[in-house]
Amino acid sequence: MSHTPVLELSDISKSYSDRQVLSGLSYSLAAGEYVAIMGDSGVGKSTLLNLIAGLDSPDSGEIKIDSKILPVEDEAATILRRKYLGFIFQAFHVLPHLTLLQNVSLPLLLNHLSLDRAPAMLAAVGLQGREQDFPHQLSGGELQRVAIARALVHRPRLILADEPTGNLDQDTSREILQLIRSEIKANQASAIIVTHSRLAAETADRILVLDRHGLTPISLENRK
Ligand SMILES: Nc1ncnc2c1ncn2[C@@H]1O[C@H](COP(=O)(O)OP(=O)(O)OP(=O)(O)O)[C@@H](O)[C@H]1O
Ligand SMILES: [Mg+2]
């Protein structure tokens, strides 16, 4: 296995107008590592994931994915991100005019991969038989599961998940977390999962807390 970090954050700062959200944040994520990030509402967790996903740029500092700095507005960088990343957003971003099967097939199509895995992935999140449904026919939790299937279907190297179980009941949460973890481990992928849920965080290899000082690991003794 390669020792090159999958993700390297060096001295990242980000403000919105006069509000400093992230300041001098550094972190390195190893290949195959699955971490959970917890922290108070508004502390900058989604902001951090958005920066890693290239949806926004830091004011200063450097983000390297697979040892490369990826400019936000750059076609080659977009293609690499599309292949390399699987992103489960806090708001689902499921495309309303596409069926569930088409939504989940999209990352495969865009990456020129076989579409075979799409129906299997929908079945894995418990939506077998709903392939031809449209997003408006689904509950919030079902939509969340479509978003999860879509984020995992192309076996990304780095999975970024923002409250992936925020809309799910406890049993479904448990199943989905198990699925996310087994996908990560089967594909030797890395993942960052942002969550307020202890149950979700404890499926990760490590738990980090984000506050104004940066990312701090919670030691195992403090884990309940
Ligand atoms: N596009 C934006 N424009 C202005 N302010 C923003 C923007 N995005 C985020 N913020 C502000 O940055 C801070 C961090 O927001 P962020 O969404 O990263 O928090 P969070 O840790 O994900 O919170 P939550 O747990 O509630 O999801 C908040 O004060 C928020 O209001
Ligand atoms: Mg958030």
Side-chain angles (χ1 to χ4, degrees), residues 45-47 90 162-163 194 196:
K45 303 179 299 297
S46 297
T47 301
Q90 204 166 13
D162 202 350
E163 283 289 351
V194 164
H196 289 288

Side-chain angles (χ1 to χ4, degrees), residues 14-17 19-22 37-50 56 90 162-163 194-196 210:
K14 180 73 182 173
S15 310
Y16 292 108
S17 49
R19 186 176 153 68
Q20 179 98 22
V21 181
L22 302 173
I37 297 180
M38 303 189 79
D40 294 341
S41 178
V43 82
K45 303 179 299 297
S46 297
T47 301
L48 179 61
L49 286 194
N50 288 340
D56 202 350
Q90 204 166 13
D162 202 350
E163 283 289 351
V194 164
T195 183
H196 289 288
L210 181 64

